[in-house]
Amino acid sequence: MAYTIAFFGSKPYDEASFNEKNSEYGFELRYYKGHLNLNNVILTQGVDAVCIFVNDTADAEVIRQMAANGVKLLALRCAGYNNVDLKAAAENGITVVRVPAYSPYAVAEYTVALMLSLNRKIPRATWRTRDGNFSLHGLLGFDMYGKTAGIIGTGKIAKKLITILRGFGMNILAYDLYPDYNFAREHQVVYTTLDELYHNSDIISLHCPLTEQTKYLINDYSISKMKDGVMIINTGRGQLIHTNALIEGLKNKRIGSAGLDVYEEESEYFYEDQSDKIIDDDTLARLLSFNNVIVTSHQAFFTREALANIASTTLMNIKDFMEHKKLENEVKL
């Protein structure tokens, strides 16, 4: 009997990439469009493993229900695991694995795309020219060369980003709890304190994990320390930024622009077509009203190469678990 995997929050592109890769494994794959939650956890009955993404819910009660249904493995097809109650998983005998890095190039390159789009007002220019308006008023940008980028978190994605920004001739300040000084020497990166980074950066980009310590890292207090007109980019996790504080910073011009591929309450909207509905999240609606803010739907990872890597690593994680091999990508408390 084939090993059975239930996928939640699945999209056509997920199914295409996993079906292609599964030709090497022969698992039975079941796809469900809805996000995993307490209302549909019954669908995990009779499956060996459950595969989820960033906006699925695997809290303590969902974990308990899955365990009662016989699930032994929770496979995340993403790097982040803040939506999983790891304590409950351990207590209920469910192993958790993830995809730690699917394409650092994809996210790093997308981060730069947000920076350039905001700086050179590309979305505004595009809207104007389509309407026959070829005026340059309001489209003034700045040279990236010689400016300072502050990078918070220096993992694989951030390091790829830094090499790109160094190619622009930018100065790099960085903050990380575990600095990589060899990389810093090689790429002329200066590790510093958060306060110094806030004070001296023209652009701040977030690449740290979401933890109790980093939740709402960008808040009223940290924004008050930043340069007037700073650009903030977040391609990490939505709750790294206190959104109301960001909005206040935009209103009082402390923040010059913001590029957000994530949002702290994104699960109700992102990855779904909401074009025929009114957005009843007042905070998100306010963000979308700013002409110096770009909000995209958690798509920085979204390249052909990344999807292939996600499918490959996820299915390998499941195969290793099934064969009782060492799990290189296991997530533990």
Side-chain angles (χ1 to χ4, degrees), residues 100-114 155-165 183 187 207 235 261 299-307 309:
Y102 20 100
S103 176
Y105 300 100
V107 181
E109 291 166 5
Y110 192 84
T111 302
V112 176
L114 287 175
K156 292 180 179 179
I157 292 169
K159 286 175 179 173
K160 300 302 180 188
L161 172 64
I162 287 168
T163 60
I164 297 171
L165 297 182
F183 176 86
H187 295 275
H207 300 278
T235 53
D261 188 49
Q299 69 183 72
F301 78 98
F302 198 52
T303 64
R304 296 184 188 91
E305 292 81 359
L307 288 180
N309 290 338

Side-chain angles (χ1 to χ4, degrees), residues 77-132:
R77 55 185 189 274
C78 54
Y81 48 88
N82 53 283
N83 55 334
V84 179
D85 189 321
L86 295 177
K87 183 173 182 289
E91 291 172 350
N92 288 274
I94 292 181
T95 301
V96 181
V97 291
R98 66 173 181 143
V99 182
Y102 20 100
S103 176
Y105 300 100
V107 181
E109 291 166 5
Y110 192 84
T111 302
V112 176
L114 287 175
M115 292 179 183
L116 292 172
S117 296
L118 286 167
N119 176 20
R120 304 309 300 269
K121 319 294 193 298
I122 292 172
R124 295 181 67 189
T126 304
W127 300 332
R128 285 185 182 186
T129 53
R130 284 181 176 175
D131 197 37

Side-chain angles (χ1 to χ4, degrees), residues 16 69 103 110 117 123 139 145 160 184 189 191 253 255 284 311 318:
N69 290 340
S103 176
Y110 192 84
S117 296
L139 302 181
Y145 178 84
K160 300 302 180 188
V189 174
Y191 277 106
K253 309 298 190 296
I255 298 172
L284 177 57
I318 294 170

